[in-house]
Every structure is written in structure tokens, then in C-alpha cells.
Amino acid sequence: MAAETSGAIEQEEQIVTPWEVAAEKGGKIDYDKLIDKFGCQRLDQSLIDRVARLTGRPPHVFLRRGVFFAHRDFNDVLDAYERGEKFYLYTGRGPSSEALHLGHLVPFMFTKYLQDAFKVPLVIQLTDDEKCMWKNLSVEESQRLARENAKDIIACGFDVSRTFIFSDFDYVGGSFYKNMVRIAKCVTYNKVVGIFGFSGEDHIGKVSFPPVQAAPSFPSSFPHLFSGKDSLRCLIPCAIDQDPYFRMTRDVAPRLGYHKPALIESSFFPALQGETGKMSASDPNSAIYVTDSAKEIKNKINRYAFSGGQDSIENHRKLGANLEVDIPVKYLGFFLEDDDELEHIRTEYGSGRMLTGEVKKRLTEVLTELVERHRRARAAVTDEV
């Protein structure tokens, strides 16, 4: 296994850091290279089968279809669970936009499944401080966005009695801050530069932030939830671009007397225009938002979703679609529950018997229903909640 603290990937071909994701010129993210570089492990079928066996329910669509594809020590968490030891979940959101897009929903949908399947507590960190430092937002605006995003997160349907959502600006202090300081003392400046690629031009807020994201990995950061449970393990579902934070955390955990947090990591949700990175909140047409109307969803899919279909019906019937680059098929891979229907679409479309318009129409139906359901749930989130 590669060293836990190997640097963030910054080669000519692809960049994957917590703040920037870019594939090589016009290409796609190479996840095998990422696994090698970061030193995590591929999530194999035996682990997926084990989850199904332990939870007594079918594996989530994101597990079955390899959306969550890599992990660190997930097997250790399952070993402990099998011995009757609980764990807790930790995930987060950096609030940089008014509303979430579908890519933002992926980790929360999966975390909800894990919470329901294993019946475990969950902490959700809103890193409003991080976005304030990286996105050039004011403190007040970052806090406002965090509050808006919290409504979308609550609308995903987490178990209220087992879930704690907090904003860093509101919560950091006390035991949490003590752990931040303990973590910070274990990480040299050279190491943080090696992991995150900070430069002399970066302000010191950026250098001081990683311990904030690391601290929720340790149960003692939440004395009101886990008092006296310092040996509780933590499992973090996240996209793989967040891995550098937790390589650092896993490096210091044993020195502080904690279990290393385990991770289960997802690939990136592609932009409508194609798979060259992840969606940009600054380009509203690169993504479908949970606030989009049915008409907007249909329009975005028809106009912007990159198609692997051929340039004419005649050629399409003859050659079929290129499923490797087709965004509507990729989106259906995330959100169409029915495995048989997905396989049918892939076969028919790939052979040219099904046309791009038909695939886009089916995707429009699936996403409109998803977004409508989310909108109703979000409308029910009152200020009291």
C-alpha cells in the first residue's frame, strides 16, 4: 500500500485535489491511476456481497454499479460491526451555491442508505469556513449558504434522532477545537504542503484549515453524542477528491490514540457537457439543480447533455451509440433504480435500435421525478426543524 501521505495528484495529465478536478486534455479521469497514487483500495464484489449479508438488504445502486469504487479500511469497519461494535458516519458539504446539484446529492443519498442499513449515528459538517477562505465569500454569505444547503441535506430524509448537522462557524470550540489543536501539532508545514500543494502565495487560513475537516473523524470531538466512546470507529462516505484530508487524518490518528477513520469513496458525477472533470457551480448549464423546474430539466438534457449517438439517424441505426461518452446513459446509471431496464437501454441504444431522443426522454422522466420528490421534502423543512 502506498504511503498515506503521498502528495495530491498534480501531473500534466490530471489534477485531483479537494478544490480542483480536471482530466487530461479532453479525456476522462483515470480512476485506476488515482487509486495507485492515493494508495486506497478498489471496492470489490466480495465487500459488496458482505454489506448485503450484514444489512439484510440489497446493496445500494451506487454500490452495485461502482459509483462508490474505492475505500480505506472499510473491511475493518465491517469486521467490528460483525463483532457487535457500532460505528458512526461522517460526511460534509462545502456550501458554495444556493442550491445543491445532482452531483452534490450523491454522497448524501448514499450516506442515508448506510445510516438506514446499519442503523448508526451520523455527523454532517458544513464547512462554511472553508468556502469563505477558498471562494472569496464573506463570512455572512458563507453562513447563509450553509443554512440553505442544510435544508437540502435534511430533505434527503436522514433519521432525525441519529443525525447531527453543524456549521463550523457555529460549532468549532471546546472538545472539537482541542482535537483540532492536537491534530495540528502532529502535521508539519512541509507535510501539509506535500499533501495539499499549498504555495507561499496562499493565505495562512488555508494552511490552518485541514485540522477542521479532520476533527470530526474522532468521536471525542462530539462529547454530547459520544461521551466515553473514544474507541468508536468512523466511516466517511465522500468523493475521492476529499481523500487528501483523510490521508493526513489517518496519519495522525494512531499518535492521538484513535482508530484511523475508514473511507468509502465515489467517482465524480460528470457535467452535462461530458466527462472532463466535475460540474461547476459557476456554470448553471453544466448541472441539474434540485431547484430546476421540469421544463428546465428537459431543456438542459435536450440542449446540453453530451450524446454518444451518431450524427444522423441512418448512421445511428448502422453504428449505434458510443455508451462510453454518452452522458444520458451515465446519468441513468446513477439514478435509474431498475437494473434490467438500464441494461435494456444500454443494449438497444448501443446497437442503434434506440435513438438519443428516446434515452433523453427517459432520463428527463427519472430526474424530474427525483427533483420533484426532493422539492416536496425540502418545502417541509421548517425553521424549527
Side-chain angles (χ1 to χ4, degrees), residues 294-331:
K295 191 174 162 192
E296 283 169 324
I297 293 171
K298 182 179 176 180
N299 184 39
K300 282 183 182 180
I301 290 171
N302 286 337
R303 283 183 63 183
Y304 301 110
F306 187 82
S307 166
Q310 304 299 332
D311 52 3
S312 70
I313 289 186
E314 193 183 11
N315 279 345
H316 185 78
R317 295 283 190 215
K318 202 160 57 192
L319 302 168
N322 177 356
L323 302 180
E324 277 306 295
V325 299
D326 192 88
I327 289 296
V329 165
K330 289 195 186 297
Y331 278 25

Side-chain angles (χ1 to χ4, degrees), residues 75-302:
N75 36 354
D76 290 359
V77 167
L78 296 180
D79 286 345
Y81 184 79
E82 210 156 5
R83 291 194 302 268
E85 298 168 24
K86 286 280 190 191
F87 58 91
Y88 73 98
L89 295 162
Y90 155 38
T91 193
R93 160 93 187 116
S96 59
S97 57
E98 190 88 25
L100 303 191
H101 60 52
L102 294 181
H104 296 142
L105 278 188
V106 167
F108 291 114
M109 290 168 75
F110 188 63
T111 301
K112 174 180 161 38
Y113 151 77
L114 290 172
Q115 183 183 50
D116 291 346
F118 289 100
K119 301 187 171 37
V120 288
L122 160 68
V123 296
I124 299 175
Q125 179 180 42
L126 299 171
T127 54
D128 41 11
D129 50 345
E130 177 195 24
K131 289 305 171 188
C132 174
M133 290 190 271
W134 262 270
K135 293 279 185 188
N136 214 0
L137 297 167
S138 69
V139 170
E140 292 70 26
E141 178 62 1
S142 299
Q143 284 187 291
R144 189 185 72 79
L145 292 177
R147 196 172 166 77
E148 289 306 308
N149 284 189
K151 293 176 189 169
D152 275 325
I153 292 167
I154 293 165
C156 293
F158 293 104
D159 177 345
V160 178
S161 65
R162 286 198 178 106
T163 305
F164 176 57
I165 305 179
F166 65 98
S167 107
D168 286 342
F169 279 137
D170 291 336
Y171 186 72
V172 171
S175 301
F176 192 99
Y177 186 62
K178 287 176 195 169
N179 274 343
M180 279 168 49
V181 171
R182 288 180 185 120
I183 294 160
K185 282 173 72 177
C186 292
V187 184
T188 64
Y189 177 69
N190 283 344
K191 181 161 272 182
V192 89
V193 168
I195 296 175
F196 297 99
F198 295 135
S199 76
E201 299 308 301
D202 282 311
H203 59 68
I204 60 173
K206 292 184 178 182
V207 181
S208 68
F209 176 74
V212 188
Q213 189 156 325
S217 312
F218 304 144
S220 61
S221 296
F222 306 102
H224 71 295
L225 298 175
F226 306 129
S227 179
K229 295 182 183 169
D230 285 3
S231 64
L232 199 62
R233 288 173 189 273
C234 175
L235 173 64
I236 304 169
C238 61
I240 197 163
D241 59 337
Q242 299 300 304
D243 190 86
Y245 281 117
F246 302 113
R247 286 209 296 287
M248 182 196 83
T249 312
R250 286 168 56 83
D251 206 47
V252 306
R255 289 144 75 185
L256 299 177
Y258 294 109
H259 289 299
K260 294 181 174 188
L263 281 91
I264 181 163
E265 303 179 311
S266 72
S267 54
F268 304 116
F269 190 76
L272 280 167
Q273 284 79 351
E275 272 198 286
T276 50
K278 60 180 189 180
M279 290 180 282
S280 159
S282 53
D283 175 8
N285 292 325
S286 73
I288 287 167
Y289 285 82
V290 294
T291 45
D292 285 348
S293 67
K295 191 174 162 192
E296 283 169 324
I297 293 171
K298 182 179 176 180
N299 184 39
K300 282 183 182 180
I301 290 171
N302 286 337

Side-chain angles (χ1 to χ4, degrees), residues 13-26:
E13 64 259 25
Q14 61 180 6
I15 298 170
V16 176
T17 73
W19 312 284
E20 186 184 359
V21 174
E24 40 195 302
K25 287 178 277 303

